[in-house]
Every structure is written in C-alpha cells, then in structure tokens.
Amino acid sequence: MKNIVLLLMISLMGISVQAQEKKNKNAKYDIEVNGNCDMCKKRIEKAALSVKGVKSAVWHIDHQDLHLVLDENKVSINQVHEAIAKVGHDTDKVKANDEVYNDLHGCCQYERKQ
C-alpha cells in the first residue's frame, strides 16, 4: 500500500512540474521601438515577424510601440528585441548598432536616446 501511495505522489508531482513549464502560446507584449515613418513601420514589423514564433506584430507611429503576439514555447521577447535592433531600430531594451542605424534612409533616422 505504501508503494502505491508513493508512486501516486511521485506521478502527481511530475504532472504539476510539467504543467508549470508550459508557456503561453498567445503571449501579448507591448515594446517601445523608435522610428519615424511608414518605411520604419514596414521594416520593424518585418523584422519582428521574421522571428519564428511571432504571430502578430503591429507598430504604431504615434505611440512608438510595437504590439506583439507570440508563442513563448518558440521564442523569447528578447529575441524579438534583438531582431529589431539588427535592422537599425532601438527598442526599450536593445540599442541598434550605430553602423546599421546610420545606413537607414534619412527620414528613418529618428532621434536617438543616449
């Protein structure tokens, strides 16, 4: 009898640990992304959507924010920040490389925060 109870307890603990590791398939995030125009919008959204696991990406010029829906089992929010920075746009966590920023079209070169 003790063996059955012990086996049952171990099984339940394994199930509860596995359930805690499950991540959100439709996690929503809003991140700050700097840009100026429709070309920026297309570049930012394309960079975000290029990351496997990102389901939706909409950047708003007026608020300088990117609304994301992503599968946390496939991607982390940091990967999205890095992908956007690689195309020349600073986020609230990752700053774009100066060379990539300088290669942006003139109208896309937003005022950078120090």
Side-chain angles (χ1 to χ4, degrees), residues 25-99:
K25 290 186 177 185
N26 290 308
K28 295 179 182 178
Y29 290 93
D30 291 329
I31 63 173
E32 181 183 330
V33 181
N34 297 322
N36 289 331
C37 63
D38 285 332
M39 284 194 299
C40 295
K41 177 179 176 61
K42 289 177 187 173
R43 187 181 310 105
I44 292 165
E45 291 174 355
K46 183 178 179 180
L49 290 168
S50 73
V51 180
K52 185 177 180 180
V54 175
K55 296 179 176 183
S56 173
V58 180
W59 183 70
H60 297 280
I61 295 172
D62 53 345
H63 296 119
Q64 301 283 301
D65 62 351
L66 178 66
H67 300 288
L68 293 166
V69 177
L70 54 89
D71 183 345
E72 292 179 322
N73 294 306
K74 297 180 179 177
V75 65
S76 72
I77 190 65
N78 290 333
Q79 290 172 291
V80 179
H81 280 275
E82 291 170 11
I84 293 167
K86 284 182 184 178
V87 299
H89 293 275
D90 296 343
T91 72
D92 50 350
K93 291 188 179 179
V94 180
K95 186 175 178 182
N97 181 300
D98 289 337
E99 290 177 24

Side-chain angles (χ1 to χ4, degrees), residues 5-19:
V5 172
L6 183 61
L7 182 63
L8 182 62
M9 287 177 53
I10 291 172
S11 297
L12 290 174
M13 286 176 44
I15 291 170
S16 68
V17 168
Q18 191 176 33

